[in-house]
Amino acid sequence: MNEKGSKDSAKQSKTKSPTDKKEKGVESSPSPEPKKTASGEDKNQELKKLTAEIANLENEKLLLAAELKNERQSWQRQMEQIYKYSNKKLLSWVLNFLVDLEEKALSAMRADPQGPVKNHLLGIEMLRNILWRNLENEGITEIKIAVGQDKWSSRLYELVEEVENDNLPAGTVVKVAAKGYLLADQVLRPARVIISKKSDHNKDSDRTLKTKKEK
């Protein structure tokens, strides 16, 4: 009897109740850690980062807009130049024709405008005036020259002669031999001019005065 009781006690000690197993399972499994929430400092750092990225994107947008504007303006200028000077060769030919007509044919006809010549002269002058108006509408203008004031310009003038004139600075335009013309800002036909230069006597005087000053 005692031996049987001891065996039952040992068996019971080995057999665990479901409650004991449940409690052991709860004790053995680690409890989940609480989720960490972002601190105020982390949020500020993230906000600063996003603000900087937005600012960079805005700058890139402005730079791109400026580049596109410059490209568009450059393209427009190029197209304007092409349109403005596309017929330069033809206008130059018409201009030279009119100048030659004025200097040769019309001047000779005006010298003796009698009989049939008078009628031809009137017709040619009418045609000349029409052509000149059309050239002006295309942007052709005469080169304005103030005789006795304007200085020599290799871009605008063609030199015909130099004459001695001590009353004017050297290189001053003293006479216009032939008119010049522009197409917008480009020279179609340079003006032919006569300019002043110092006389040999005046040059010697200037040289002597300069030598004295250096001494």
Side-chain angles (χ1 to χ4, degrees):
M1 181 70 180
N2 291 335
E3 185 178 351
K4 185 177 180 182
S6 62
K7 287 182 180 180
D8 292 338
S9 298
K11 187 177 180 180
Q12 288 177 359
S13 64
K14 290 180 180 180
T15 305
K16 294 182 179 179
S17 65
T19 305
D20 293 339
K21 290 182 180 180
K22 185 176 181 181
E23 289 177 355
K24 186 177 181 181
V26 171
E27 290 176 358
S28 61
S29 61
S31 59
E33 296 181 359
K35 293 183 179 179
K36 293 183 179 180
T37 57
S39 65
E41 184 177 353
D42 292 338
K43 288 182 178 180
N44 288 335
Q45 291 294 334
E46 188 68 21
L47 181 60
K48 288 180 180 179
K49 183 179 178 181
L50 291 174
T51 303
E53 290 178 356
I54 292 172
N56 289 333
L57 290 174
E58 287 293 334
N59 289 334
E60 291 178 1
K61 178 183 175 182
L62 292 174
L63 289 173
L64 180 59
E67 289 178 2
L68 290 174
K69 182 179 179 181
N70 291 335
E71 287 292 332
R72 183 170 61 252
Q73 290 176 344
S74 176
W75 179 82
Q76 288 176 345
R77 285 193 297 268
Q78 291 177 6
M79 293 303 296
E80 288 173 359
Q81 292 291 316
I82 292 172
Y83 175 76
K84 186 184 294 183
Y85 302 117
S86 60
N87 54 354
K88 179 180 177 180
K89 189 174 181 180
L90 175 61
L91 293 175
S92 179
W93 183 88
V94 175
L95 175 65
N96 290 330
F97 168 77
L98 283 176
V99 172
D100 290 341
L101 180 68
E102 179 77 26
E103 293 178 350
K104 298 174 182 178
L106 288 178
S107 59
M109 295 173 74
R110 287 170 184 152
D112 186 22
Q114 301 297 326
V117 174
K118 184 177 181 179
N119 294 329
H120 291 307
L121 178 61
L122 291 174
I124 293 174
E125 285 185 335
M126 288 177 62
L127 177 61
R128 167 193 172 277
N129 293 336
I130 292 172
L131 289 174
W132 271 119
R133 282 196 297 270
N134 281 280
L135 289 178
E136 290 171 354
N137 291 336
E138 292 295 330
I140 291 181
T141 56
E142 181 183 337
I143 298 174
K144 302 299 181 182
I145 304 173
V147 175
Q149 298 180 23
D150 288 351
K151 301 282 287 185
W152 161 257
S153 169
S154 58
R155 188 180 80 88
L156 299 174
Y157 308 144
E158 178 184 324
L159 180 61
V160 176
E161 185 183 359
E162 288 182 286
V163 295
E164 293 182 353
N165 190 326
D166 294 331
N167 297 322
L168 294 172
T172 303
V173 177
V174 296
K175 185 178 180 180
V176 178
K179 296 178 180 179
Y181 297 91
L182 299 169
L183 173 59
D185 57 350
Q186 291 191 5
V187 178
L188 270 186
R189 184 184 177 102
R192 304 180 71 238
V193 298
I194 299 172
I195 63 174
S196 63
K197 68 176 182 178
K198 294 293 184 181
S199 64
D200 293 337
H201 173 72
N202 196 277
K203 286 180 181 178
D204 293 337
S205 299
D206 290 344
R207 194 178 299 111
T208 303
L209 182 61
K210 183 178 180 181
T211 304
K212 288 181 179 179
K213 286 182 178 179
E214 290 176 352
K215 290 181 179 180

